[in-house]
Amino acid sequence: MTQNAILFIPDISGFTEFVHNTDIYHSRHIISELLELLIDHNNMGLELAEIEGDALFLYKLEDQVDLNKIREQVKDMYLAFHKHLKRYEFQRICNCGACSSAYNLSLKFIVHYGEIEFITIKDIKKPYGSNVIKVHRLLKNKVPLEEYAMFTETLIPETLDASLNMLTETYDFGNIKISYEPLEHLKSLLPVIKPIPDDVPKHKLFDSTETIQTPILELYEVISNFDYRLLWVKGVDRLEYEKNKVNRSGLKHQCLINKKHVEQTTIKKKVASNQLVYGEATREIPFTKRVHVYYVLEEIKNGYTKLNIEVFADFKPLRVLMRPIMKKNFQKIISENIKELILLIDSGFTTEQPNN
């Protein structure tokens, strides 16, 4: 039995082919976040048929089509996508190829309308038929834009043809007339995303520098990726964090220390152009209003990295007298952790990513 349906594919592109495993791992998580975002902004009641790499295949059974509603759906997803990327550019802490080029990602939409059937495999029902094949073939086309919404002739009233960008595409199933609309102009509707201000506490409690024999990006990944945290940070029984996200400024995680949950937030601050910085903030250390720990990395010759660890704090009223004791405690804890970090690196450990 055939039914009429809108077939709708948002497709992300822009990542180059990465070689370093950190880039591959982070690009996978960035795309995953963006696809989830597109699903969350599905205002038309589209059904998700498949996640296909960097794209979604959605459909909706419909006997009558409202092109304006489809255009609004495209607009909502497009703006949500680029708002997320603008915010990520300010929040990101990583300089790998994937994170530093995420703002270049683009989004296009392929929309088709026609009869479909369904096939059931292991109790899973999926759209099936020639129109499903057609909408996927249309991902390869001659539209001279990176970001656009493409509509097939089944969606375009003949009275509108003269006012649209029209093309005739040739595929193995024959010719099909399509129209396309640019989306770039919609970026003017994006809200202003302000940079995250530096807000370093007043008192410096600790400052120490180590030289570690490993490339800067490799060391940065070990320090900033929670998947590796328990391998070198002692005294933490468990770490709770969002496994499907690349760590970034503002992301929260919890450490279980002596059966107590301690919440920490990823932060950053301004550093020199040849440096990387990773930081964490907490408000749950006794006698303090807040404590920030910063790891500042700088590449030096022959694959070595200089690592500077800084701890700053703001104290509660009359508690600044605890500064010497806290300094001593941080010196002991961080020195032990850095020793473990160096042992981990010297053991031949590499950032081969687990399958999350």
Side-chain angles (χ1 to χ4, degrees):
M1 176 179 166
T2 61
Q3 295 174 271
N4 291 324
I6 300 168
L7 305 177
F8 188 98
I9 300 180
D11 181 48
I12 301 170
S13 59
F15 271 144
T16 55
E17 300 231 349
F18 295 118
V19 175
H20 195 279
N21 49 48
T22 298
D23 298 312
I24 297 169
Y25 175 71
H26 287 190
S27 66
R28 186 168 74 239
H29 281 297
I30 291 169
I31 292 294
S32 175
E33 279 188 57
L34 289 167
L35 292 176
E36 288 182 6
L37 185 76
L38 295 177
I39 292 170
D40 288 342
H41 283 79
N42 168 18
N43 304 321
M44 274 183 58
L46 298 160
E47 298 285 340
L48 177 63
E50 201 77 61
I51 297 173
E52 301 172 337
D54 297 349
L56 301 173
F57 175 34
L58 302 140
Y59 72 95
K60 184 178 183 181
L61 299 177
E62 198 78 86
D63 287 327
Q64 292 185 333
V65 176
D66 187 333
L67 186 57
N68 288 328
K69 283 187 178 179
I70 296 174
R71 284 173 168 149
E72 280 299 311
Q73 178 64 84
V74 167
K75 178 182 174 181
D76 288 346
M77 285 185 173
Y78 182 82
L79 290 176
F81 177 88
H82 281 289
K83 181 180 178 181
H84 182 87
L85 291 181
K86 282 185 71 174
R87 183 178 287 115
Y88 184 71
E89 184 59 20
F90 287 126
Q91 291 180 329
R92 72 178 178 87
I93 57 173
C94 178
N95 270 18
C96 77
C99 291
S100 60
S101 67
Y103 68 92
N104 283 325
L105 291 174
S106 60
L107 183 62
K108 66 185 179 185
F109 297 85
I110 309 297
V111 191
H112 180 50
Y113 181 70
E115 291 184 341
I116 63 169
E117 300 176 71
F118 287 94
I119 185 171
T120 301
I121 304 171
K122 294 281 188 180
D123 297 324
I124 299 173
K125 187 172 74 170
K126 292 182 180 290
Y128 182 76
S130 61
N131 282 306
V132 173
I133 295 171
K134 283 181 182 179
V135 74
H136 285 86
R137 292 278 199 277
L138 289 165
L139 287 165
K140 300 291 185 182
N141 56 66
K142 297 176 183 177
V143 174
L145 300 170
E146 289 186 356
E147 296 192 301
Y148 57 86
M150 174 200 284
F151 307 104
T152 62
E153 57 191 346
T154 55
L155 290 159
I156 304 298
E158 293 182 6
T159 54
L160 294 180
D161 280 5
S163 63
L164 300 174
N165 299 306
M166 303 296 296
L167 283 176
T168 298
E169 299 278 2
T170 301
Y171 297 95
D172 53 1
F173 58 78
N175 294 337
I176 185 169
K177 186 185 288 187
I178 61 100
S179 73
Y180 63 91
E181 299 176 1
L183 300 176
E184 179 80 17
H185 66 283
L186 293 176
K187 289 182 180 179
S188 64
L189 302 176
L190 291 170
V192 174
I193 306 294
K194 295 181 179 180
I196 300 169
D198 285 341
D199 187 20
V200 180
K202 179 179 178 181
H203 301 280
K204 180 180 276 191
L205 299 181
F206 183 79
D207 190 333
S208 179
T209 300
E210 296 283 348
T211 299
I212 300 178
Q213 188 178 4
T214 194
I216 185 170
L217 287 179
E218 189 84 6
L219 182 58
Y220 191 88
E221 179 68 3
V222 176
I223 291 171
S224 64
N225 191 330
F226 298 138
D227 290 338
Y228 309 129
R229 183 60 56 88
L230 298 184
L231 298 178
W232 61 278
V233 173
K234 299 303 175 183
V236 178
D237 301 314
R238 191 169 75 242
L239 200 65
E240 298 175 359
Y241 58 97
E242 295 186 68
K243 291 181 177 292
N244 64 335
K245 287 189 176 182
V246 179
N247 197 0
R248 70 197 60 177
S249 186
L251 199 66
K252 297 183 185 299
H253 65 278
Q254 288 195 341
C255 300
L256 184 65
I257 303 173
N258 297 324
K259 298 183 179 180
K260 179 184 177 182
H261 284 89
V262 178
E263 185 177 82
Q264 295 182 306
T265 303
T266 299
I267 56 173
K268 60 182 180 179
K269 66 169 184 170
K270 288 183 180 178
V271 292
S273 59
N274 64 332
Q275 295 176 323
L276 299 177
V277 61
Y278 173 70
E280 292 182 350
T282 184
R283 296 180 179 272
E284 300 186 33
I285 294 181
F287 313 116
T288 68
K289 295 179 180 178
R290 57 182 182 148
V291 173
H292 290 192
V293 179
Y294 296 100
Y295 299 84
V296 181
L297 290 73
E298 183 177 334
E299 191 169 25
I300 52 182
K301 294 180 180 179
N302 302 320
Y304 283 81
T305 299
K306 183 170 72 173
L307 173 63
N308 180 237
I309 307 98
E310 304 170 330
V311 181
F312 295 84
D314 282 335
F315 288 88
K316 293 179 179 178
L318 304 179
R319 298 297 184 176
V320 72
L321 296 175
M322 300 300 297
R323 180 175 174 176
I325 296 174
M326 293 192 66
K327 180 177 180 179
K328 185 176 181 180
N329 288 340
F330 272 109
Q331 184 172 4
K332 179 177 183 295
I333 293 167
I334 291 178
S335 296
E336 289 176 354
N337 287 339
I338 296 305
K339 285 180 182 178
E340 292 295 328
L341 178 63
I342 293 172
L343 287 172
L344 180 66
I345 297 297
D346 288 347
S347 72
F349 172 84
T350 59
T351 53
E352 290 293 335
Q353 303 295 343
N355 293 321
N356 289 329

